[in-house]
Amino acid sequence: MKMDSLSKRIGMASLVTAMLFTGNAWAGEIRAAKPETPLATVSTAPPTVPETQVTEPVLSPAALACAAIGAEADGRHIFVYDAGADEMVWCGTSETDRLYPASITKLYASLVGLMYLDPETVVTAGEELKLVQSDSSRAYLSRGCKITVKMLVEAMLVPSGSDASYVFAAAAGRAITGDETLSGEEAVAAFLEEMNRQREILGMQNSHFTNPDGYHDDDHYMCPADVALVADLAWENPVIGEYMALQQDSVRFVSGETITWYNNNLLMDPTAPCYSASAVGM
């Protein structure tokens, strides 16, 4: 899933990470527009040749992203991170400011769970589904259905399924403890403990997790610097990379059920006003 060149990777990662905190509420059209009065290098010929030559500057992808955000954005938790330089280029607030990450949590949960789960392992959805909030986004898993770990990751990243997040969390919790007899609630709790343990190992600056899907809780938060870190790690993960850029996919569960999932990230939707061909998801 890597780009052909580092510069393209930087540009795409910068733009995508900048959009992370807007979620489905993003309404503006993101474009790297030229300023009304472009910056220019002016070279004036001798008086006998009155023409003036103007050369437009070449802006870096990060600079273009900043220009677009400065012109269009209305949200203090938008930021631009240059993955190639490992540098926060622009941030609408403090890099360590506490905020509520919503479904960006699923990206981090995927990373932690994949440390313990084989992508090809088949998981059976169980009683952990009762922990999903009634108004959460769903991948429409039902109790007893069988699905592979990598399909659970897809269900978390494409339709943003909170039900998939809890099934994934329960499977990971049992793998972490080595105890397959744990109840769904106990297994999810074990996974959350590991999510919070890993935040310290990874060097996160201001994050805490109380659920695996990002449903609002005052004690569930991240900061821009930590989201940039998670996005950078996710970029390198082959399982996440396989699914994060999908706009839609028709799948068949191991137990035989079929469904089509649609990405609810409007930057990925060709029919949406804010669609960006260079967006890679997350």
Side-chain angles (χ1 to χ4, degrees):
M1 295 298 293
K2 289 184 178 297
M3 300 299 150
D4 293 334
S5 67
L6 178 60
S7 61
K8 189 171 183 181
R9 177 182 184 274
I10 294 170
M12 294 175 76
S14 298
L15 269 173
V16 171
T17 307
M19 295 304 104
L20 280 171
F21 284 111
T22 62
N24 294 336
W26 180 259
E29 179 184 0
I30 297 301
R31 60 185 185 276
K34 297 178 182 177
E36 292 182 6
T37 306
L39 298 174
T41 300
V42 179
S43 175
T44 305
T48 54
V49 183
E51 292 86 355
T52 299
Q53 296 178 345
V54 178
T55 302
E56 293 188 5
V58 177
L59 299 180
S60 69
L64 288 171
C66 287
I69 288 173
E72 301 288 346
D74 181 21
R76 68 191 185 96
H77 289 140
I78 297 172
F79 64 88
V80 179
Y81 168 73
D82 187 327
D86 188 21
E87 176 185 7
M88 187 71 77
V89 178
W90 183 88
C91 189
T93 185
S94 166
E95 293 181 28
T96 58
D97 188 34
R98 182 180 297 189
L99 49 89
Y100 302 118
S103 287
I104 297 170
T105 302
K106 297 181 175 86
L107 197 64
Y108 176 60
S110 297
L111 282 168
V112 176
L114 287 170
M115 295 176 183
Y116 297 93
L117 294 171
D118 185 317
E120 301 297 335
T121 296
V122 176
V123 175
T124 301
E127 62 179 351
E128 64 275 0
L129 287 173
K130 69 183 181 182
L131 302 174
V132 181
Q133 298 293 328
S134 61
D135 57 346
S136 296
S137 54
R138 292 175 181 262
Y140 299 100
L141 306 184
S142 58
R143 187 167 179 172
C145 74
K146 297 182 183 298
I147 184 171
T148 63
V149 166
K150 67 179 183 180
M151 289 179 70
L152 281 172
V153 173
E154 179 178 4
M156 293 163 69
L157 300 182
V158 179
S160 193
S162 290
D163 46 357
S165 296
Y166 275 91
V167 174
F168 180 86
R174 295 184 181 108
I176 290 165
T177 61
D179 187 352
E180 291 295 325
T181 69
L182 291 180
S183 68
E185 189 169 358
E186 290 170 335
V188 170
F191 180 64
L192 290 172
E193 184 177 343
E194 183 63 13
M195 286 178 70
N196 285 304
R197 190 179 78 90
Q198 286 294 331
R199 72 181 179 183
E200 298 178 3
I201 295 173
L202 294 173
M204 290 186 176
Q205 299 182 46
N206 193 16
S207 293
H208 184 259
F209 304 96
T210 62
N211 58 64
D213 66 336
Y215 196 87
H216 178 74
D217 183 304
D218 287 346
D219 201 32
H220 184 106
Y221 52 85
M222 296 180 75
C223 68
D226 293 349
V227 173
L229 172 63
V230 168
D232 209 23
L233 293 171
W235 181 270
E236 302 293 342
N237 187 285
V239 178
I240 293 174
E242 183 175 351
Y243 302 116
M244 69 185 187
L246 287 181
Q247 200 274 321
Q248 68 178 67
D249 193 21
S250 296
V251 300
R252 179 183 293 275
F253 298 167
V254 175
S255 49
E257 300 90 340
T258 60
I259 192 170
T260 298
W261 289 324
Y262 297 89
N263 199 320
N264 61 14
N265 181 343
L266 297 182
L267 290 172
M268 310 290 294
D269 183 355
T271 67
C274 57
Y275 169 71
S276 173
S278 63
V280 296
M282 293 197 282

